[in-house]
Amino acid sequence: MTLNIDAGDIHAESDAELAARFVNEAMPFHPVLLRTARRLTHSHADAEDLVQDTLMNAYTGFRRFEPGTNLRAWLFRILHNRWISTHRMKQRRPDTFAVAEITDSDMFGNALHSAAAERSAEDRVLDLLCDDRTRDALLALPEGFRAVLYYAGIKGFTYAETAALMEIPLGTVMSRIARSRERLRAALTEDTDTLRVA
């Protein structure tokens, strides 16, 4: 038995043909992908980045895409997977902010002008508390617990902002706040009971 294979059946798609097919078939979905990306990211710039990343990944795998299957669903699956990957990466990495260039001499100069430069902000706030019992109870807490209370309770940061500043999970912040308050309540109640007995 002899197989007759037509030369047209084994034609490999050139890069130019692949690009043209991608533009004709996938690019019409760009507007709807962008609308969905805006809903996911809540930011026009992030949505554009997400769609660009999606289309680049789609183009990379487009040669393996099986013609006749649901191209729209395939593109949306890529969009969703890229959004999840980006979202997880952002959660693991704290936000960064651009600041003007600060030299060592600038920092040294500012430190010389500040009388309390060598003391931490937490210590300065504790000095402002007029009640020695409260100050002692706060100082008895572990360092991580004091820092969480300082950021969330005194500086007014949200729990999420505190977690980002301290580079710890949000659940840890919530747990430390609750346990710190319990310890403070117990320590201050103990001191009040001791004063009543005396």
Side-chain angles (χ1 to χ4, degrees):
M1 182 171 155
T2 311
L3 290 176
N4 292 327
I5 300 175
D6 186 12
D9 292 342
I10 56 171
H11 168 71
E13 189 175 34
S14 71
D15 290 342
E17 290 169 331
L18 177 71
R21 189 166 64 89
F22 186 80
V23 167
N24 288 335
E25 295 176 18
M27 290 308 288
F29 292 106
H30 184 274
V32 71
L33 288 169
L34 188 58
R35 282 195 300 271
T36 303
R38 277 194 206 116
R39 280 197 303 271
L40 290 171
T41 63
H42 305 289
S43 162
H44 184 71
D46 289 343
E48 287 179 344
D49 289 346
L50 177 58
V51 170
Q52 182 179 5
D53 187 37
T54 298
L55 291 173
M56 285 175 50
N57 277 276
Y59 181 74
T60 302
F62 199 60
R63 203 177 294 276
R64 293 184 309 273
F65 177 73
E66 187 177 324
T69 58
N70 192 340
L71 178 59
R72 178 186 170 119
W74 185 69
L75 290 170
F76 275 95
R77 174 55 50 205
I78 293 171
L79 176 84
H80 191 258
N81 289 342
R82 295 309 304 155
W83 175 72
I84 288 172
S85 297
T86 304
H87 185 68
R88 285 180 180 159
M89 187 174 63
K90 283 183 179 178
Q91 284 183 325
R92 286 191 299 263
R93 186 182 67 223
D95 289 337
T96 55
F97 303 96
V99 294
E101 188 174 326
I102 300 173
T103 64
D104 289 341
S105 61
D106 292 335
M107 291 175 62
F108 181 70
N110 288 337
L112 290 177
H113 294 298
S114 173
E118 66 280 346
R119 302 198 62 229
S120 72
E122 293 92 342
D123 288 339
R124 286 180 277 160
V125 168
L126 286 175
D127 287 344
L128 295 175
L129 294 173
C130 57
D131 185 4
D132 288 339
R133 290 180 312 123
T134 305
R135 183 178 191 280
D136 292 342
L138 283 168
L139 288 172
L141 293 174
E143 175 61 34
F145 286 46
R146 275 197 316 257
V148 166
L149 278 179
Y150 171 74
Y151 288 127
I154 296 170
K155 292 295 281 182
F157 289 116
T158 65
Y159 289 0
E161 291 169 333
T162 301
L165 283 168
M166 296 184 65
E167 298 180 355
I168 58 176
L170 178 62
T172 302
V173 170
M174 295 167 69
S175 171
R176 286 182 183 178
I177 293 264
R179 293 190 339 220
S180 296
R181 288 178 179 162
E182 286 174 17
R183 288 183 181 194
L184 286 174
R185 193 176 300 117
L188 294 174
T189 303
E190 236 175 60
D191 287 347
T192 306
D193 292 342
T194 305
L195 289 173
R196 284 186 192 146
V197 171

